[in-house]
């Protein structure tokens, strides 16, 4: 065993030991319970911020890993071969891809970016981006657990699919990736061919090296997106800490105002789609059914946290379109439900 | 391609994040932040952060070039980006963990003070065992008559919270409920009446045993738990109620 490898193994063992053994003994030394005891507001801020990060980071990591694996193991040829040429069919597949590729709104962004770089049609990528956080087994199960197989459950699925496909198709009119994604997110030959610099099959490395490369790409991916996740979490935490929720709840019973209020709440709270159904349950008595459904459709597509993450990948104008379109569709859907079904 | 220095910084940040998650799991404070049914995800995070840190370190030591499929600019991180990623690691390691308490109730007054509405909080009422604050609120939600629970005995644990409506001999025994993480925490509480109320500080964890009677909070009729006994207790390992 080489010296470097030995150092590596020693570092690994040290890390695991530190993690699993006497770290709480070390903590008072590191933190000094008294020295860093913060005032209540700051302490609550830290708790909520870390709560959002600890909940979201694993999903982002899994998304980054998926993206790393795609980089190394999936070629642009594979995608060209598997995706139908027909625009509508491709968009439909994009919207349903979450069923076999379960990612939430934190994990989906690196995956979409990587898929699009590999030549995945943009319309399908956008449909996947918007639909996958809802149309996946985990979120469907939690929605079912909270609401049963009733109107809310089916409306959430149907509206998410319709909105994701519609917006995906709108984006299919866009000619080139360069007008949609930020330059840094584009392959070296920006705006041109989607051939990405994966070594040709002949020189492909062995599985261990390939896996290592995938993890290295995943780490880069994490650093590309995590600052936006963390910035978004900070904003969401600040809004939670300083804007009283009663301000929104007060308008819960109007057919239109309740929908707008719940959309605003979904945007501000930035709760992961895997559990937002349980949160929505809290509002069933206070808010109109259109507002609840709009919350469940819009929240997973767009919120403070994901907006910042989108800004890291897409051009600013595109993010603005995405937000405006999803907001408009969700608002319309909520209004339609309130005016027809609730009465 | 990121410089060697950037890659070292990344490796150390990844290791620090792995450490932060490991500390939270190991010290039992993970439950201050997320619902324990997601605890396995934190373990996944430790493993993935550690794997990424080790891969980066290994590549640096073996001088394997990390040729990025995205061209030269990819893999660079701004100083702001580094700072933002360092933030949760530093806060998580340096600031002592503390669950949300009385001071956090004020901004998120969702189901406190209107106990009848809080019935919607719980997904499934639990069977068996002693009833928690949520279970009692569900009972109250079923029957809004403030005297419906008269004479029933309760034994609940929570922290002390007060608001302007309460009389000097009243307090709330409160808990936060959690579906996912503290971002969705919502406070729930029972109104308690006790001659010792004034002596108890906000945020102190107490166990209240007593019987319900019809009473009022600031003029609004509501069931009141008339305390027979209030004991100071240690904060529970699971500070939140998980509906």
């Amino acid at each position: 065993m080489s010296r470097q490898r030995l150092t590596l193994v020693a570092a690994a063992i040290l890390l695991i030991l530190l993690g699993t053994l006497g770290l709480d003994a070390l903590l008072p030394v590191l933190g000094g319970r008294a020295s860093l005891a913060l005032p209540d507001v700051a302490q609550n801020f830290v708790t909520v911020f870390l709560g959002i990060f600890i909940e979201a980071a694993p999903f982002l990591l899994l998304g980054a890993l998926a993206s790393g694996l795609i980089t190394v193991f999936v070629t642009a040829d594979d995608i060209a071969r598997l995706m139908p040429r027909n625009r509508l069919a491709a968009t439909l597949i994009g919207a349903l891809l979450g069923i076999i590729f379960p990612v939430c709104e934190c994990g989906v962004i690196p995956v979409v970016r990587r898929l699009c770089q590999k030549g995945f049609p943009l319309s399908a990528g956008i449909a996947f981006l918007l639909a996958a956080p809802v149309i996946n087994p985990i979120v469907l199960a939690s929605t079912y657990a909270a609401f049963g197989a009733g109107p809310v459950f089916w409306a959430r699925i149907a509206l998410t699919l319709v909105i994701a496909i519609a917006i995906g198709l709108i984006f299919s009119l866009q000619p080139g990736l360069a007008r949609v994604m930020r330059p840094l997110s584009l392959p070296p030959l920006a705006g041109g061919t989607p051939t990405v610099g994966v070594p040709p099959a002949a020189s492909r490395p062995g599985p261990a090296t390939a896996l290592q490369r995938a993890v290295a790409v995943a780490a880069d991916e994490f650093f590309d997106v995590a600052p936006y996740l963390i910035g978004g979490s900070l904003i969401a935490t600040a809004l939670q800490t300083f804007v009283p929720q009663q301000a929104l709840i007060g308008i819960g019973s109007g057919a239109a105002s309740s929908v707008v209020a719940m959309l605003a709440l979904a945007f501000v709270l930035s709760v992961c789609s895997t559990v937002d159904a349980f949160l929505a349950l809290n509002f069933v008595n206070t808010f109109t059914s259109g507002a609840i459904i709009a919350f469940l459709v819009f929240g997973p597509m767009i919120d403070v946290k994901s907006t910042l993450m989108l800004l890291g990948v897409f051009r600013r104008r595109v993010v603005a379109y995405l937000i405006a379109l999803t907001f408009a569709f969700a608002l319309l859907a909520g209004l339609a439900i309130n005016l027809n079904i609730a009465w | 391609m990121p410089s060697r220095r950037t890659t070292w910084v990344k490796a150390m940040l990844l290791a620090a994040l792995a450490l932060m998650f490991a500390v939270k799991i190991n010290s039992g404070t993970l439950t201050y932040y997320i619902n324990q049914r997601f605890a396995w995800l934190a373990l996944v995070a430790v493993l993935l952060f550690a794997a990424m840190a080790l891969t980066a370190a290994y590549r640096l030591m073996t001088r394997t070039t990390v040729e990025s499929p995205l061209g030269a600019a990819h893999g660079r991180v701004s100083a702001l980006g580094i700072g933002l990623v360092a933030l949760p690691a530093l806060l998580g390691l340096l600031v002592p963990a503390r669950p949300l308490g009385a001071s956090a109730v004020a901004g998120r007054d969702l189901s406190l003070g209107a106990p009848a509405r809080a019935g919607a909080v719980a997904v499934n009422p639990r069977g068996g065992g002693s009833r928690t604050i949520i279970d009692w609120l569900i009972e109250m939600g079923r029957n809004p008559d403030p005297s419906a629970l008269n004479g029933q005995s309760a034994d609940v644990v929570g922290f002390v919270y007060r608001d302007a409506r309460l009389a000097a001999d009243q307090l709330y025994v409160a808990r936060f409920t959690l579906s996912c993480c503290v971002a969705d925490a919502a406070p729930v509480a029972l109104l308690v009446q006790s001659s010792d109320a004034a002596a108890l500080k906000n945020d102190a964890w107490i166990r209240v045993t007593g019987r319900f009677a019809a009473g009022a909070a600031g003029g609004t009729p509501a069931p009141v738990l008339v305390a027979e006994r209030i004991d100071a207790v240690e904060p529970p390992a699971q500070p939140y109620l998980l509906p």
Side-chain angles (χ1 to χ4, degrees), chain A residues 74-337:
Chain A
V74 181
T75 63
D77 287 346
D78 293 337
I79 288 175
R81 196 156 34 85
L82 292 173
M83 286 304 280
R85 297 244 167 264
N86 181 294
R87 207 176 272 175
L88 186 65
T91 312
L92 204 67
I93 288 180
L96 293 171
L97 204 58
I99 293 172
I100 52 167
F101 221 142
V103 282
C104 74
E105 74 260 40
C106 304
V108 74
I109 290 170
V111 178
V112 167
R113 175 165 80 163
R114 196 46 52 100
L115 282 172
C116 285
Q117 282 156 359
K118 294 254 172 182
F120 199 67
L122 183 63
S123 62
I126 296 284
F128 176 58
L129 176 79
L130 296 176
V134 170
I135 310 298
N136 77 60
I138 300 162
V139 175
L140 293 182
S142 73
T143 312
Y144 176 78
F147 289 96
V152 174
F153 178 75
W154 295 114
R156 182 177 204 190
I157 296 176
L159 286 170
T160 301
L161 283 175
V162 168
I163 294 175
I165 291 168
I167 296 179
L169 286 175
I170 291 173
F171 271 89
S172 72
L173 303 174
Q174 197 58 242
L177 215 52
R179 299 192 50 186
V180 173
M181 288 201 170
R182 289 183 58 194
L184 268 184
S185 297
L186 289 170
L189 302 171
T193 51
T195 43
V196 173
V198 173
S203 69
R204 228 177 232 195
T209 319
L211 201 63
Q212 201 201 91
R213 263 199 68 195
V215 174
V217 172
D220 278 347
E221 199 79 68
F222 174 79
F223 276 94
D224 280 355
V225 187
Y228 298 96
L229 168 71
I230 294 164
S233 306
L234 282 174
I235 296 173
T237 309
L239 288 171
Q240 275 218 10
T241 314
F242 303 116
V243 179
Q245 290 177 354
Q246 297 96 310
L248 291 173
I249 312 270
I251 38 181
S253 52
S257 67
S258 66
V259 180
V260 175
M262 278 306 262
L263 290 177
L265 200 66
F267 187 75
V268 166
L269 286 183
S270 299
V271 178
C272 184
S273 61
T274 49
V275 290
D276 60 356
F278 296 106
L279 183 63
L281 214 51
N282 284 310
F283 298 105
V284 168
N285 293 343
T286 338
F287 276 80
T288 59
S289 47
I292 301 287
I293 291 167
F295 175 88
L296 289 172
V297 171
F298 180 68
M301 295 183 175
I302 299 287
D303 57 36
V304 173
K305 184 180 67 183
S306 63
T307 298
L308 280 205
M309 290 166 82
L310 287 171
L311 283 170
V313 174
F314 293 99
R315 287 181 181 278
R316 228 174 281 165
R317 205 162 36 99
V318 172
V319 177
Y321 283 144
L322 270 178
I323 295 174
L325 284 169
T326 38
F327 184 86
F329 275 116
L331 182 63
L332 275 179
L335 279 177
I337 290 168

Side-chain angles (χ1 to χ4, degrees), chain A residues 4 21 47 220 224 240 275, chain B residues 10 26 61 74 98 180 183:
Chain A
Q4 278 150 343
L21 294 175
T47 301
D220 278 347
D224 280 355
Q240 275 218 10
V275 290
Chain B
K10 283 185 176 182
N26 192 45
M61 283 188 283
H74 189 70
R98 204 182 76 184
C180 159

Side-chain angles (χ1 to χ4, degrees), chain B residues 22-111:
Chain B
V23 167
K24 296 296 180 200
I25 295 171
N26 192 45
S27 62
T29 53
L30 193 67
T31 51
Y32 292 7
Y33 303 99
I34 60 170
N35 189 324
Q36 63 198 19
R37 96 193 126 92
F38 298 108
W40 65 274
L41 277 169
L43 206 60
V44 169
V46 175
L47 294 176
L48 286 178
F49 277 131
M52 287 176 179
L54 290 174
T55 307
Y58 176 77
R59 287 182 159 245
L60 281 162
M61 283 188 283
T62 56
R63 296 189 173 266
T64 317
T65 49
V66 192
E67 98 275 18
S68 167
L70 294 176
H74 189 70
R76 289 200 191 134
V77 189
S78 67
L80 178 66
I82 295 285
L84 280 171
V85 176
L87 194 64
L90 290 176
L91 289 178
L93 287 171
L94 296 182
V95 178
R98 204 182 76 184
L100 292 184
S103 62
V105 174
R108 43 184 100 219
D109 199 350
L110 282 181
S111 37

